Structures are given as C-alpha cells and as structure tokens.
Amino acid sequence: VCGPGQIARLPDLIKHAMEKKGKQLSVSDAIRKAADNPELEEFESVYDRADKDIPGQAFVRAMRGCDNFCTYCIVPYVRGPETSRPINKIVEQVKRLADDGVKLVTLLGQAVNKYQYRAGEKTYTLADLLYKVSEIDGIEWLRFVTSYPRKEGFTELMQVMADSPKVCNYLHMPAQSGSDKILKAMNRRYTAQQYLELIDAAREIVPDISVAGDFIVGVPGETDDDFERTAELVKKARYKNCFVFKYSPRPGTTADKSLQDNIPEEIKKQRNYRLLEVQEKTSAELAKQFENKQVTVLVEGLSKKPHLNSAENDNNPQLVGRTADDWIVVFNGPASLTGQFARVNITRTSPLTLFGELI
Ligand code: SF4
C-alpha cells in the first residue's frame, strides 16, 4: 500500500515485497511538515519534472495535495495533504527550463494560492514565489492555477500581478455555485457575496484581469432557485470563460456517502446548457473588445481544427496561440513561429476565439 506522498518509494516497496515476500506499507504524511525532512528529497525526485508538451511552455508543480475536503471531491483522498515544494527547488527547476527555451511557466497546485513554504524564519507565499520566478531571465510569462477563493494573501497576489509585467493578468478561480446553501453543502468556505467581493478586489488592483471559473450543476438538493443564483453569479463575475460540469458522485467522498444524487440527468443537462449560454453572452462581449486591436500571443502550433476561409498553404498554415490573459488566437503564419511570441491584429471574434492576421 503506497500513499500518494510516497510514490518515489514504490520501486523500493516492490523490491522489499519481492525479497521478503511480505506486505509493504508506506502511507505517512510526514513529508508535508518539515523542509528538512529527508523524505522531501524523494518527493522532489517525483515532482521535479515539468510537463512540456506545448512548445515554449512548461507546467511546474508548486504544491500537491489538498486539505480543503470539498464534499464532492476525491482529490484530498487520492493526492494526500497539501505539500508545498521548496522555493529554491522550484526556482532552480524554472532556471533550467528557461535555459531550454521555455518562455511561459504555469505553476500548478489544486489550491495553488495556499502555497506556503517555511525556510528558517521566513514563510514564503505564492506571491513570494511569483516574485522570485519572475526574476529569472528568459521566462517572459508566468501563470498559476488553480486558486481557491480565499481572502488570505489575495491582495498580495493581485499586487504581484499588477507589479510584475511577467505575471499574466489571468485568474482561474472556481466558484462552483452561486447559492450559499449549495456552497455550504459542498463545504466551500465562502459565500457567493464573498466570492464576488474577491473578483471586485481583483479588478480594482488589476483592471484588465481575465477571470475563468468552474461550476458544478445538479448537485444533490440544488433547486431551480439555487441554480438561478448560480446563473446570476456567472453574469456578475463577467468571466472570460467558464468550465461547467454536471454533478456525478465520486465513490469515497462525503457527498457520495451522505447525499442522494437526486437531480435528474435531464435537468443537469439543461442547467449545464443554460449556464454555458449565459457565459457565452459575456464571452462574446469581452471578445468583441479585441476587434482591430493588436495582441501578443505565444504560438502553440498548428491549429487542430482549421477554420474555413483561412488563406492556408504549406508555408502559411493556420496557427493557434494564446494571449497572456489566455484568449485563444487563430491566425495564419509560418509553422516556425511555434513556441515563439508573435503580434497579431485581431480582425474578428467569436465567444471563445479571436481571429486575426500576423503583423
Ligand atoms: Fe481541493 Fe479543489 Fe477538491 Fe476542493 S475541489 S477538495 S479545493 S482539489
């Protein structure tokens, strides 16, 4: 039996099990506690690897696990308790990535804004980590996902965004519901009003911030009125985009044990559709503001779903990239731009995509 914090021990556990022909168990959560714990090194050997599937970009784990125990979520059980990686290890890793040509680093954590690493007298927060990483030459853009809606450290975090040109003006902060009753049933520790206040505070410090949200519809006990509150929150938050999921019970979670999945599938589908419809209206309005403007994009590669009417040929294929604030941009240009920055003049928009011409 191997806990998520001990994955690095798996080869040893298997070896010992084979040699001793006995059961092996490693489930301690001790590594979360101390920076000087030797087990942290093993933890590092697993997490000191970045996902570099997109050219010019890397996803770097800042922390793993989660202590929030939202009632519908299995993550705290399968990923274990929150453990933040040593700040110096992350900085070293990002320096190596920058040497390899990486320009955009996304720091990852289930509730990444709870990053906290103690070294000597100082406790480093996500804001500190962002300042440190933004000093690294070669790294041009920095993002962090996913943020849990909480007041602690929020102003400081938004301030780094405002202060550092490298920290992208992008915040992914799931609300999950706009009904206080449902938020309570989910064990989310904020009200809809408190959530909206965070969004307002973010916009006050970073006026052009682009915000993305997650929602779950059809949670046990969600009435039409609860759902309307969610739709209302989506309108008010003015997200760039939203991810909407239909509730489905996860075995082993509190919600699965204590709540009955009592919303019919058809209603879940309708609410899912309705919420996306509400969001699409805002997305279309926000996207329109880009028309006839120039944007900088980091090119991800060839567009997977080439759009009609593109002036495509072998030397000028349709490319896709993203702006710092995560808008998807489609335009034609040489494939050699992949992994590089490009300037694009936006000529038309759809709710989720900006279309333009390479400058
Ligand atoms: Fe943690 Fe997110 Fe799961 Fe809540 S939903 S327990 S914050 S991973």
Side-chain angles (χ1 to χ4, degrees):
V1 176
C2 180
Q6 282 75 32
I7 290 169
R9 288 182 156 191
L10 209 45
D12 271 352
L13 291 171
I14 293 172
K15 194 165 158 248
H16 286 136
M18 287 171 78
E19 282 170 1
K20 296 181 182 157
K21 302 208 182 321
K23 293 172 187 169
Q24 295 287 307
L25 172 76
S26 184
V27 290
S28 140
D29 69 352
I31 59 163
R32 66 191 299 214
K33 306 251 162 40
D36 53 2
N37 189 325
E39 290 184 27
L40 206 57
E41 286 301 316
E42 295 181 17
F43 171 63
E44 269 301 305
S45 70
V46 175
Y47 290 97
D48 192 29
R49 275 177 226 150
D51 170 359
K52 286 169 62 187
D53 287 351
I54 308 175
Q57 302 190 26
F59 294 84
V60 170
R61 193 150 282 283
M63 60 186 295
R64 56 165 276 271
C66 186
D67 290 346
N68 285 337
F69 288 92
C70 303
T71 52
Y72 54 84
C73 179
I74 196 69
V75 166
Y77 304 97
V78 295
R79 296 276 163 88
E82 284 168 9
T83 312
S84 295
R85 290 180 59 205
I87 192 164
N88 59 327
K89 297 277 181 188
I90 299 174
V91 169
E92 280 167 23
Q93 182 183 7
V94 175
K95 276 185 184 156
R96 289 197 301 274
L97 290 165
D99 290 344
D100 277 357
V102 166
K103 296 175 174 63
L104 162 61
V105 163
T106 304
L107 297 170
L108 299 177
Q110 306 287 348
V112 71
N113 52 331
K114 288 175 85 182
Y115 176 88
Q116 209 172 46
Y117 182 75
R118 204 172 59 245
E121 293 297 293
K122 168 113 176 120
T123 300
Y124 293 92
T125 63
L126 180 61
D128 297 320
L129 176 61
L130 287 165
Y131 274 124
K132 283 257 176 231
V133 175
S134 62
E135 284 167 1
I136 298 171
D137 285 341
I139 299 299
E140 302 295 337
W141 285 357
L142 259 175
R143 291 197 195 123
F144 54 91
V145 292
T146 298
S147 294
Y148 186 86
R150 69 200 293 257
K151 236 176 148 180
E152 294 86 338
F154 192 76
T155 307
E156 293 78 0
L157 196 54
M158 291 303 102
Q159 204 54 55
V160 192
M161 214 179 258
D163 291 350
S164 168
K166 290 190 181 180
V167 179
C168 299
N169 294 353
Y170 172 73
L171 177 69
H172 179 207
M173 190 165 73
Q176 306 299 14
S177 173
S179 153
D180 291 345
K181 182 191 95 190
I182 296 296
L183 288 170
K184 199 158 180 225
M186 287 173 156
N187 193 31
R188 303 286 289 184
R189 295 152 204 203
Y190 51 86
T191 62
Q193 182 56 30
Q194 286 166 339
Y195 178 88
L196 287 170
E197 281 167 13
L198 287 177
I199 302 263
D200 285 349
R203 293 212 162 102
E204 201 147 296
I205 302 170
V206 186
D208 58 349
I209 193 168
S210 135
V211 185
D214 289 2
F215 288 87
I216 305 177
V217 292
V219 173
E222 184 188 64
T223 60
D224 285 347
D225 181 59
D226 292 320
F227 175 71
E228 286 311 319
R229 286 166 198 260
T230 300
E232 207 45 45
L233 186 141
V234 168
K235 268 187 218 154
K236 285 184 182 158
R238 296 198 55 79
Y239 295 110
K240 173 183 83 75
N241 68 302
C242 264
F243 302 96
V244 183
F245 305 91
K246 288 179 288 164
Y247 174 81
S248 66
R250 294 280 177 274
T253 57
T254 318
D256 185 42
K257 286 180 208 155
S258 59
L259 303 173
Q260 204 197 341
D261 183 17
N262 60 359
I263 307 293
E265 187 57 26
E266 198 43 44
I267 303 270
K268 286 181 185 170
K269 267 193 207 158
Q270 282 169 15
R271 289 180 182 169
N272 189 345
Y273 180 77
R274 229 327 274 304
L275 215 52
L276 288 174
E277 205 177 40
V278 170
Q279 177 54 41
E280 197 174 295
K281 202 160 170 278
T282 310
S283 295
E285 284 167 18
L286 294 176
K288 254 213 154 1
Q289 297 173 356
F290 285 93
E291 273 179 18
N292 302 318
K293 300 231 166 78
Q294 297 182 357
V295 295
T296 300
V297 300
L298 182 56
V299 182
E300 295 183 356
L302 299 180
S303 169
K304 290 200 176 70
K305 290 185 272 180
H307 296 262
L308 292 176
N309 305 327
S310 72
E312 183 154 355
N313 61 49
D314 284 351
N315 299 323
N316 198 36
Q318 195 165 66
L319 302 176
V320 65
R322 278 178 202 250
T323 63
D325 45 5
D326 204 47
W327 283 92
I328 297 169
V329 180
V330 169
F331 61 101
N332 288 81
S336 58
L337 278 177
T338 301
Q340 308 294 323
F341 288 107
R343 292 284 290 167
V344 177
N345 188 31
I346 303 302
T347 49
R348 74 186 168 92
T349 62
S350 76
L352 290 178
T353 312
L354 314 178
F355 300 88
E357 286 160 5
L358 184 65
I359 298 169

